[in-house]
Amino acid sequence: MQKYARKGEYIMLISTKGRYALRVMIDLAEHQTDDFIPLKVIADRQEISEKYLESIIKLLVKAKFLSGLRGKGGGYRLTKTPEEYTVADILLLTEESLAPVACLEQGALPCSRTATCRTLEMWKGLDRVIHDYLSGITLAALMQKNQNGDDYVI
């Protein structure tokens, strides 16, 4: 997750790497066969540069989200069914953190204000909502054409 300064504040944004990883995973889920799908085919369908896509695919293969085969007939395919992948899993791989504030990021240094922070519990709650929401969305759900995305209930 990238944090960009805007008038002295920070806003959270999912990077293109995270968004493209989701698109690649959905593409592979929608075009599943026993064959491997070449990188060029995925790049063309998703209108993503092959060079940039290579770095994203490497991450997905290293995490065993995809398997790859080199050479003639080579390419990539999912290692599990679309129901077994969540948006949270994919974004945590590419973004490393989805924490809404720096003090909740994994490995963050302890904050000297933790004991007196009036907003810490609120940020922890938002962190749980983000994680729970994204953990409840699978690739299979994203494959459905009529995704509203507003069906989360607190």
Side-chain angles (χ1 to χ4, degrees):
M1 174 123 20
Q2 296 178 354
K3 294 179 173 88
Y4 294 96
R6 182 175 17 172
K7 295 183 183 175
E9 297 179 9
Y10 289 91
I11 56 173
M12 300 181 322
L13 295 175
I14 302 295
S15 69
T16 55
K17 185 188 294 184
R19 295 192 322 266
Y20 288 0
L22 282 170
R23 285 173 48 189
V24 166
M25 295 293 286
I26 294 165
D27 184 282
L28 289 169
E30 289 177 335
H31 296 93
Q32 283 188 96
T33 66
D34 289 336
D35 297 328
F36 287 85
I37 299 173
L39 180 68
K40 180 173 180 21
V41 171
I42 302 165
D44 288 347
R45 279 196 299 242
Q46 292 302 313
E47 299 175 345
I48 301 171
S49 120
E50 276 186 71
K51 187 77 175 159
Y52 189 52
L53 196 52
E54 283 176 6
S55 66
I56 295 168
I57 294 277
K58 279 182 187 176
L59 273 176
L60 296 168
V61 169
K62 186 176 179 184
K64 297 187 178 8
F65 286 18
L66 303 178
S67 60
L69 181 66
R70 293 180 185 259
K72 188 175 181 350
Y76 301 92
R77 66 180 176 202
L78 300 179
T79 57
K80 303 183 278 189
T81 66
E83 293 80 12
E84 295 177 276
Y85 296 96
T86 69
V87 171
D89 294 336
I90 297 164
L91 290 180
L92 284 170
L93 175 68
T94 59
E95 305 301 313
E96 297 175 12
S97 173
L98 298 174
V101 290
C103 64
L104 294 180
E105 290 182 351
Q106 185 124 9
L109 296 174
C111 176
S112 62
R113 298 187 40 85
T114 299
T116 59
C117 182
R118 303 281 186 177
T119 59
L120 182 59
E121 290 306 312
M122 176 193 65
W123 295 126
K124 285 181 179 179
L126 178 58
D127 191 45
R128 277 190 304 277
V129 168
I130 291 168
H131 184 268
D132 291 349
Y133 178 69
L134 296 176
S135 293
I137 303 171
T138 65
L139 276 186
L142 293 176
M143 290 167 61
Q144 298 172 3
K145 300 272 188 229
N146 298 326
Q147 263 295 109
N148 289 336
D150 61 357
D151 55 353
Y152 188 77
V153 177
I154 297 175

